[in-house]
Amino acid sequence: MTTLYIIGILLLVICLVLIFFVSKSERIVNLAYKFNMCEKEINVFLNNKEELIGIIGRQLNTEFKVFENVKNIKASKINNYDRDKLLSEAFLNIEKIYLDNPELKNIKSFDGIIKDIKKNEVKLVSLRTLYNKCSSEFNSIYNKFPYSIICKIKKMSVRTLYEGKELGDEIDKELNFVI
């Protein structure tokens, strides 16, 4: 009879431990879902930005190293982090060219592409911010018990954060412009 009590208590403890791990696993799965969805959306907007920068590069007919690097992105198969850095650098150079050459402001297609890239960049900044927020939370719990065990079981690793502007900076910039 006492063996039945012991087996019952062991089963209860095992069930409680399993419930504990499942509840903690849900947090990790939810964070992973969020940063994976952000990463997919970031990829879409990076593709759009790459295409727009390519159009500008062809319109300018220049041989800047940055435009050559943008042309070679697809062939080099670099990750989204490096792609984002490269495209942001290219856009900074485009903005410099745009500001240095007032005659470009009269070309409607060029001006429209610049505006499209800026709109695209605002969306990228918001996605980067959400991705970084979810990844930071994930990274902060990655080495804590029981999350470390769950991450090893699910073969998850620490996430790299995107560099660049955060959404707070963009909002401040927009609010200062409006005021």
Side-chain angles (χ1 to χ4, degrees):
M1 192 64 145
T2 57
T3 55
L4 286 177
Y5 285 124
I6 293 172
I7 291 173
I9 291 172
L10 283 175
L11 284 175
L12 181 63
V13 168
I14 290 171
C15 288
L16 289 174
V17 168
L18 285 175
I19 290 170
F20 175 73
F21 272 92
V22 168
S23 68
K24 297 301 180 180
S25 178
E26 283 298 313
R27 182 174 179 196
I28 290 175
V29 168
N30 189 21
L31 287 170
Y33 173 78
K34 286 179 183 177
F35 60 65
N36 286 333
M37 291 306 294
C38 286
E39 204 161 38
K40 287 178 186 175
E41 287 295 313
I42 286 170
N43 191 43
V44 169
F45 284 104
L46 285 175
N47 287 339
N48 189 25
K49 187 175 182 179
E50 181 181 334
E51 184 180 316
L52 292 169
I53 288 174
I55 292 169
I56 287 178
R58 287 188 294 277
Q59 282 186 355
L60 291 177
N61 291 326
T62 59
E63 294 301 320
F64 288 106
K65 182 182 177 188
V66 173
F67 292 119
E68 288 301 316
N69 290 341
V70 171
K71 286 180 190 175
N72 297 328
I73 283 179
K74 284 186 175 61
S76 62
K77 306 246 184 213
I78 60 176
N79 61 30
N80 277 350
Y81 306 103
D82 294 332
R83 227 171 119 205
D84 186 37
K85 285 182 199 176
L86 183 67
L87 291 171
S88 294
E89 180 184 325
F91 184 61
L92 287 174
N93 287 334
I94 289 170
E95 281 186 315
K96 190 183 291 184
I97 294 167
Y98 183 68
L99 293 173
D100 291 344
N101 299 300
E103 67 273 3
L104 291 176
K105 293 178 182 175
N106 297 331
I107 303 172
K108 288 189 180 204
S109 63
F110 193 85
D111 192 48
I113 293 172
I114 294 288
K115 288 178 182 173
D116 287 345
I117 292 174
K118 286 183 178 180
K119 287 179 190 174
N120 193 63
E121 186 61 25
V122 169
K123 292 173 185 172
L124 269 170
V125 168
S126 65
L127 285 167
R128 257 188 253 129
T129 302
L130 180 58
Y131 175 88
N132 284 348
K133 180 183 175 202
C134 294
S135 295
S136 293
E137 185 177 339
F138 174 81
N139 290 346
S140 71
I141 64 173
Y142 179 79
N143 288 321
K144 295 180 182 174
F145 178 81
Y147 301 109
S148 59
I149 296 169
I150 296 167
C151 289
K152 285 179 183 163
I153 291 170
K154 293 185 178 279
K155 297 179 180 163
M156 300 174 101
S157 60
V158 174
R159 305 300 295 195
T160 305
L161 301 180
Y162 280 95
E163 294 178 18
K165 295 183 250 178
E166 290 289 324
L167 190 58
D169 297 340
E170 281 295 310
I171 291 172
D172 290 343
K173 183 177 166 184
E174 292 294 322
L175 288 176
N176 289 334
F177 181 73
V178 171
I179 294 175

